Amino acid sequence: MENNTRNLFFLLTLFPLTCLSLSRAPTPRAANSRQCENCGPTLVPYPLSTRPGCGDYALYKIRCTAGALWLDTVNESAYPITSVNPVTRRLTIRPAGIAANSCVSTDFRSRGIQLDHNSSFKVAAGNTILLLNCTNLYVRRQRPPVDCTANGLCHRYVKDNLVVPCMKTASCCSLKVGVSNVGEYGFGVKIGGDECSAYQSFVTSGPAAMAKMPAEKWPEPEMELEWGLPSEPICEGSLDCMNLMNSKCLVDPVRVGQKRCFCDIGFKWDPMYGLCAQIQTAKCSIDRHGKGCKIMKKKKSKKIAVLAGAVCGVVPTIIVMGILLYKKLNQSNSKKEAIKTLVKERELSLQSKTSGKSARIFTGKEIVKATNNFCKSNLVGSGGFGEVFKGIFDDGTITAIKRAKFGNTKGTEQILNEVRILCQVNHRRLVRLLGCCVDLDLPLLISEFIPNGTLFDHLHCHSSKKYAPIKWILRLQIAHQTAEGLAYLHSAAMPPIYHRDVKSSNILLDEKLDAKISDFGLSRLVEEQQSKANNNNSEIEDNNIFTCAQGTLGYLDPEYHRNFQLTDKSDVYSFGVVLLEILTAMKAIDFNRDEEDVNLAVYVKKMIKEERLMEAVDPMLKEGSSKIELETMKALGLLAAACLNDQRQNRPSMKEVADEIEYLITIVSQTTKFIN
């Protein structure tokens, strides 16, 4: 009888959900008629164009000859395209080789790879370029990240690959095209004149990683180019917009005298597919139970909505009856049984590996003893939602014990969420979970104890004289370690994890000033959020999550705050603010600064625009620093600015950021060794 009743309740609940899904069924995206046909076996995605009439021929022109793709550059040079990736908007070309019996590239007459400044192709961040047979004048002009030292990567390449003609030339340089210097090196590699006579390019994780590469494992030379997102097509009259449905030829408000095919009201330009897509409205509202955001699409058809409403008109009554019936079946459950169930669920969730062994369930008695009944003398930190106590167990293990504040439901949810997140991860740059406790009034999280404060303390609490100023190389190492941890969460964790509260006070430092990321209370598992969103009829595309904006003022991604769309690039923005703190020793928000400079990100971007970045750098860093160290400070500032780009698609990934910081560390370390 009980099972039949439960099945009835399930069916009654399923019925309204089916009605709701009927009224909101999405329509498939229209096929893109503007895309060019394949070139042999290779896909030619929009906006790439092999002929007039498809793609965007004016700005994204490539050539298809005998089933193979080619990129034509200025000075009548051409390079074979070996791969095209429409997701990352990148294509790979094979650069020219080095002529036999000379240290000169075979495209020397056309002065190397030179991209048309009017096209939308640029050299992508991540390419490592070697410049060979350089003039002394060129070498003297170079600053980091260009490395022309005798023990640099370029000389290693010449030696490993037995490029005999280039062994006779003394000057050889290497550089990694990164987000901070892509403006300078984004239009190719120029050779000849008073510069260099040969070059090679590799798509790798950077010079630091290549320096550790065995001599026999050098990759094939190649160069990765990226293309920008296209704007709406240019038009002269309405006939030019016939191929772009739901658009009209209107005056371009940005460029005087130009017209474009702008999408009709209710549609927006989709640059990935070259069409006008129907707008999916996102509305963020808090329901009466405080459950947070729901993303609601526009109704596709009024007729379907009316029909669904009529069919489902009696649904509320049926739902109420089902809920009352379900409650009656469960009235016999006692509070003690509920607690046992909760404990069992927590035990099951903690079976995943943390540091090679299962996390344990602590008893309330153990916790009370370890913290001396949560004595105030053991309180080491307190925030808006929770408190952290130092705990010492009978075996001498020192731990950090986090609990929510009494009566704070949100804090309790964050503690449980943090346990769930930390059960999924295992990385040396993330705080290690030891276990949890659920048999007290509030759930507790037990993690390793990091004794040396936070990065915030070390950067902003010099007046207390508890912490000494951090040297430049150590600041770079802290930045790199933090970037490594975030890159792991975004790229290596399964499913990926977005931290959502990256800030200097959530970066803990141990006795050696090694960094560990903490506080995962706001973090989200991408896979889990996609499942929840699907159940709530929310919309997710390309690993974007729609949630109400949460985080810390001064670190919060402005685009996330505007549209509640969370991606890994939201963490990148927050980390960019942390980089500025490391560089300037200024707080993210400080009302003691002038009104227009209260926000650190806004202030430093203004200084960069005025070419006064070095004025914002921490004076303690600049004092006694070498010229190369000062250049790496500037490079880090430009990297931070790239992380703070208003358009999230233009921000680097955390992997790219980590690689670039590692390269800066390599330059500073080599310079220090050379001086010593």
Side-chain angles (χ1 to χ4, degrees):
M1 175 65 183
E2 184 177 338
N3 288 336
N4 291 336
T5 308
R6 287 179 182 272
N7 291 336
L8 175 62
F9 172 75
F10 174 75
L11 290 173
L12 291 176
T13 307
L14 183 63
F15 174 72
L17 292 176
T18 305
C19 292
L20 185 61
S21 64
L22 173 65
S23 67
R24 300 170 66 100
T27 57
R29 175 174 280 180
N32 178 24
S33 60
R34 298 171 55 80
Q35 181 174 319
C36 295
E37 61 275 3
N38 291 358
C39 179
T42 308
L43 175 73
V44 182
Y46 186 86
L48 303 188
S49 177
T50 54
R51 59 175 177 80
C54 67
D56 189 333
Y57 192 70
L59 298 176
Y60 299 86
K61 180 182 177 182
I62 56 177
R63 177 163 52 91
C64 179
T65 303
L69 288 173
W70 291 78
L71 178 72
D72 295 321
T73 62
V74 298
N75 298 334
E76 299 182 352
S77 290
Y79 303 89
I81 298 173
T82 58
S83 67
V84 179
N85 189 329
V87 177
T88 60
R89 305 196 312 275
R90 294 191 175 196
L91 58 84
T92 304
I93 63 173
R94 186 183 305 121
I98 297 177
N101 302 320
S102 65
C103 192
V104 176
S105 290
T106 55
D107 58 354
F108 180 82
R109 288 187 177 181
S110 58
R111 303 205 65 182
I113 299 177
Q114 295 190 52
L115 302 178
D116 186 348
H117 285 226
N118 294 321
S119 77
S120 292
F121 297 112
K122 286 187 178 181
V123 178
N127 288 281
T128 297
I129 297 174
L130 308 183
L131 300 165
L132 303 94
N133 197 7
C134 302
T135 64
N136 290 331
L137 177 62
Y138 174 82
V139 173
R140 284 196 299 269
R141 291 200 306 256
Q142 299 315 302
R143 298 290 181 270
V146 180
D147 179 12
C148 300
T149 59
N151 57 348
L153 181 67
C154 188
H155 289 280
R156 163 91 188 278
Y157 168 78
V158 171
K159 181 180 177 182
D160 288 350
N161 291 273
L162 300 177
V163 188
V164 178
C166 294
M167 290 181 182
K168 300 175 183 178
T169 61
S171 300
C172 187
C173 304
S174 63
L175 67 98
K176 179 189 175 184
V177 180
V179 290
S180 60
N181 64 1
V182 72
E184 183 177 356
Y185 300 101
F187 292 103
V189 182
K190 186 178 179 181
I191 58 176
D194 61 351
E195 298 185 358
C196 305
S197 300
Y199 71 95
Q200 287 287 261
S201 176
F202 300 93
V203 180
T204 67
S205 56
M210 293 182 70
K212 304 172 186 176
M213 193 180 300
E216 68 277 4
K217 290 189 177 182
W218 278 83
E220 288 294 318
E222 56 185 3
M223 179 179 287
E224 213 171 42
L225 308 181
E226 62 183 353
W227 65 84
L229 291 172
S231 301
E232 294 87 343
I234 296 174
C235 61
E236 293 182 358
S238 57
L239 291 177
D240 295 329
C241 299
M242 291 289 289
N243 289 335
L244 182 60
M245 294 179 62
N246 305 305
S247 73
K248 292 182 178 66
C249 186
L250 302 172
V251 174
D252 189 339
V254 178
R255 300 193 65 177
V256 179
Q258 183 172 274
K259 294 183 178 181
R260 290 186 180 273
C261 298
F262 288 109
C263 298
D264 296 337
I265 296 174
F267 294 83
K268 66 177 181 179
W269 171 245
D270 186 338
M272 288 292 291
Y273 296 93
L275 49 79
C276 289
Q278 189 170 8
I279 294 175
Q280 309 294 340
T281 58
K283 187 183 296 183
C284 184
S285 59
I286 306 297
D287 65 20
R288 60 179 180 174
H289 301 294
K291 294 297 183 183
C293 292
K294 295 181 179 179
I295 303 301
M296 290 171 280
K297 299 179 184 177
K298 282 187 174 180
K299 295 180 179 179
K300 303 286 182 178
S301 168
K302 291 183 179 180
K303 292 182 179 180
I304 294 177
V306 172
L307 178 62
V311 173
C312 303
V314 295
V315 166
T317 304
I318 296 175
I319 291 176
V320 171
M321 292 174 61
I323 292 173
L324 291 174
L325 181 61
Y326 183 72
K327 284 185 175 181
K328 187 175 181 179
L329 290 171
N330 289 277
Q331 281 179 347
S332 59
N333 290 336
S334 65
K335 182 179 179 181
K336 186 175 180 181
E337 290 174 335
I339 292 174
K340 286 183 178 180
T341 301
L342 179 61
V343 172
K344 186 175 181 180
E345 288 177 355
R346 292 298 95 206
E347 288 174 343
L348 290 173
S349 72
L350 288 170
Q351 293 305 310
S352 60
K353 292 185 178 179
T354 51
S355 59
K357 55 185 178 182
S358 297
R360 60 177 280 200
I361 302 294
F362 290 86
T363 66
K365 187 176 180 180
E366 288 178 295
I367 299 299
V368 169
K369 184 178 180 181
T371 60
N372 193 18
N373 197 21
F374 297 98
C375 178
K376 285 188 177 181
S377 62
N378 286 324
L379 182 66
V380 294
S382 179
F385 300 120
E387 301 170 315
V388 179
F389 292 85
K390 180 179 180 180
I392 304 177
F393 289 92
D394 290 339
D395 62 358
T397 302
I398 303 176
T399 64
I401 300 173
K402 180 186 285 190
R403 75 171 182 184
K405 291 182 176 179
F406 284 101
N408 193 317
T409 305
K410 196 168 186 179
T412 299
E413 291 174 356
Q414 288 188 10
I415 294 290
L416 295 176
N417 181 67
E418 188 163 5
V419 173
R420 184 165 59 252
I421 294 292
L422 288 176
C423 279
Q424 308 290 326
V425 298
N426 177 24
H427 193 273
R428 60 180 178 168
R429 298 307 169 202
L430 308 179
V431 167
R432 181 164 56 93
L433 176 71
L434 300 179
C436 70
C437 174
V438 290
D439 59 357
L440 294 176
D441 292 335
L442 293 169
L444 304 171
L445 179 149
I446 298 90
S447 63
E448 63 176 323
F449 184 75
I450 310 298
N452 202 16
T454 67
L455 177 60
F456 181 92
D457 298 332
H458 285 262
L459 291 175
H460 307 306
C461 299
H462 295 158
S463 58
S464 65
K465 297 184 179 179
K466 183 178 180 180
Y467 302 108
I470 309 176
K471 294 180 180 179
W472 176 233
I473 186 66
L474 290 176
R475 295 195 197 194
L476 284 175
Q477 288 172 356
I478 291 169
H480 179 247
Q481 291 166 353
T482 307
E484 277 188 321
L486 291 172
Y488 165 82
L489 293 176
H490 294 172
S491 307
M494 294 299 293
I497 296 169
Y498 303 155
H499 188 282
R500 296 179 78 201
D501 200 16
V502 177
K503 55 184 178 180
S504 57
S505 57
N506 282 340
I507 300 170
L508 305 182
L509 302 178
D510 63 15
E511 301 93 333
K512 297 179 180 179
L513 293 183
D514 288 328
K516 285 181 181 274
I517 302 170
S518 68
D519 201 341
F520 291 80
L522 296 179
S523 301
R524 289 294 178 265
L525 297 166
V526 175
E527 186 177 75
E528 169 193 301
Q529 287 302 304
Q530 287 176 335
S531 174
K532 286 183 179 179
N534 290 335
N535 291 337
N536 290 327
N537 291 319
S538 298
E539 181 182 351
I540 290 191
E541 294 181 358
D542 302 328
N543 282 350
N544 294 345
I545 300 172
F546 291 92
T547 73
C548 280
Q550 297 186 65
T552 302
L553 187 65
Y555 298 90
L556 194 61
D557 176 8
E559 193 166 347
Y560 169 37
H561 194 270
R562 282 194 298 268
N563 58 25
F564 311 111
Q565 189 182 38
L566 177 70
T567 72
D568 57 332
K569 297 301 178 71
S570 300
D571 283 349
V572 172
Y573 183 94
S574 302
F575 183 71
V577 179
V578 173
L579 288 182
L580 294 185
E581 286 186 88
I582 289 173
L583 185 65
T584 66
M586 298 180 188
K587 296 178 181 178
I589 295 290
D590 191 345
F591 292 100
N592 293 320
R593 295 196 288 264
D594 292 341
E595 184 176 346
E596 65 273 17
D597 298 335
V598 166
N599 186 299
L600 180 60
V602 174
Y603 166 64
V604 175
K605 285 202 284 188
K606 179 189 74 173
M607 297 294 280
I608 291 175
K609 188 175 181 180
E610 296 174 358
E611 297 185 354
R612 296 166 55 208
L613 171 61
M614 294 308 293
E615 294 179 29
V617 174
D618 184 0
M620 293 184 180
L621 284 182
K622 292 188 288 187
E623 185 178 349
S625 294
S626 67
K627 198 169 185 179
I628 288 183
E629 286 176 324
L630 292 174
E631 290 292 338
T632 57
M633 292 173 197
K634 183 178 180 180
L636 190 78
L638 295 177
L639 175 61
C643 295
L644 298 171
N645 194 295
D646 291 335
Q647 301 297 320
R648 62 166 48 131
Q649 66 267 22
N650 295 331
R651 297 172 196 159
S653 68
M654 283 310 309
K655 181 67 170 63
E656 291 173 323
V657 174
D659 288 344
E660 188 144 350
I661 298 173
E662 183 181 22
Y663 185 42
L664 295 178
I665 291 173
T666 302
I667 293 173
V668 174
S669 300
Q670 288 179 348
T671 304
T672 304
K673 289 179 183 177
F674 181 77
I675 294 174
N676 293 336

